[in-house]
Amino acid sequence: MDATPGTTPVPDAVPDPAPDPVPDADAAVVAGEAVPSDRVALDRDRILAAALAHIDEQGLAGLTMRRLGHRVGVEAMSLYRYVPGKEELLDGVVELLIGDLRMDPDVLHSPTHGWQDFLQRLAHGVRRVALAHPKAFPLVASRPPEAPWLRPPLRSLEWVDAFLSGLLEEGFSDEAAVAAYRSFTSFLLGTLLLEVSAHGADVGPLDVVDDHLADDVEASRHATVWRLRHDLAHDAAATEFEVALESLLERLTLVRSELG
């Protein structure tokens, strides 16, 4: 350890310990031993939870089936029995994140106390998911949604149907409910992706969403989403940008007058 007079000594760097060896199932079989996956209780939920924990700690880029197998103490090939591949694994992680929103006691599925309270609770619930898992949250934006006309972060049929139905109950027209959905999701996604990027998340480049993905059978079970699917699919990005910019300028006008 070297030190310059008048300075605090800096300890010499200690090399990282060598990683544990990858479980060798083939060698175990040849030796007549039980393979690691026979000794470890394994199911899809445990694998997805381990994947999310890995992303939380090390980021998405370092996630591989081999590393995930090592994390749960099994050979990588045993994971494919529960998740057919990495794409399905990432989709499952998104399911977990959406599940966190479903379990949030402050988030409501209908506007019990009015639509403003309903949207406030939903927005803060999504933000809590983002803050709890900042490195995983970009998956909510990049993975294909359950139908091509759904938008992140409200990208599940369940939540979009609850959102639209709730606003319709509060007197919104179809057109107004869809416009609110577009504005609300644009606001949430842009704001939260910026916020998680400040917490170390890699937000780009995001995966390209497959616009041709559609599961009409599942989507048709959610009546409000299905009825409004053509309105939801309409491209209004330019209008939304102008409306958001106009709103921002109006707010800045107020700030100018209040702080001038």
Side-chain angles (χ1 to χ4, degrees):
M1 179 169 61
D2 298 327
T4 302
T7 64
T8 301
V10 178
D12 295 332
V14 178
D16 294 332
D20 294 333
V22 175
D24 191 338
D26 296 327
V29 171
V30 170
E33 301 171 352
V35 297
S37 58
D38 289 341
R39 301 192 297 267
V40 175
L42 203 60
D43 57 37
R44 186 173 184 272
D45 289 343
R46 181 179 179 186
I47 293 170
L48 294 180
L52 179 56
H54 179 98
I55 296 171
D56 285 342
E57 296 169 9
Q58 302 183 36
L60 179 60
L63 179 64
T64 66
M65 298 297 275
R66 178 183 61 80
R67 288 173 177 164
L68 183 57
H70 181 268
R71 186 181 189 96
V72 297
V74 301
E75 64 280 4
M77 66 180 183
S78 66
L79 301 179
Y80 290 90
R81 188 184 315 163
Y82 304 94
V83 284
K86 189 174 180 181
E87 296 303 307
E88 291 79 7
L89 178 69
L90 296 180
D91 288 341
V93 170
V94 171
E95 291 174 15
L96 280 187
L97 296 175
I98 299 300
D100 283 354
L101 184 61
R102 188 183 301 113
M103 298 300 294
D104 190 326
D106 290 329
V107 176
L108 303 177
H109 274 73
S110 61
T112 306
H113 308 294
W115 66 268
Q116 294 96 335
D117 174 78
F118 176 57
L119 297 190
Q120 284 277 357
R121 289 171 177 270
L122 184 56
H124 284 284
V126 175
R127 184 169 183 263
R128 285 191 287 272
V129 172
L131 293 179
H133 307 283
K135 294 181 180 178
F137 185 76
L139 285 173
V140 174
S142 62
R143 301 304 302 164
E146 293 182 8
W149 12 267
L150 301 187
R151 298 152 55 112
L154 296 185
R155 34 91 39 77
S156 76
L157 291 164
E158 173 192 354
W159 280 110
V160 176
D161 201 73
F163 182 97
L164 295 173
S165 298
L167 294 191
L168 293 176
E169 292 172 11
E170 290 292 304
F172 280 64
S173 66
D174 288 356
E175 182 179 6
V178 171
Y181 167 70
R182 290 176 173 278
S183 298
F184 189 75
T185 52
S186 295
F187 161 74
L188 274 183
L189 188 63
T191 302
L192 294 180
L193 284 179
L194 284 174
E195 186 166 10
V196 298
S197 70
H199 289 270
D202 182 5
V203 298
L206 296 174
D207 296 339
V208 176
V209 172
D210 181 3
D211 288 334
H212 301 288
L213 174 71
D215 186 350
D216 289 349
V217 174
E218 178 61 25
S220 64
R221 294 177 182 143
H222 295 76
T224 305
V225 173
W226 182 250
R227 181 170 60 82
L228 298 178
R229 66 190 183 281
H230 297 301
D231 292 335
L232 293 169
H234 177 67
D235 184 1
T239 301
E240 292 166 12
F241 178 83
E242 292 299 335
V243 170
L245 179 58
E246 184 176 348
S247 297
L248 174 62
L249 294 178
E250 289 175 356
R251 293 207 316 268
L252 291 180
T253 300
L254 292 175
V255 170
R256 178 177 179 273
S257 63
E258 291 173 356
L259 301 181

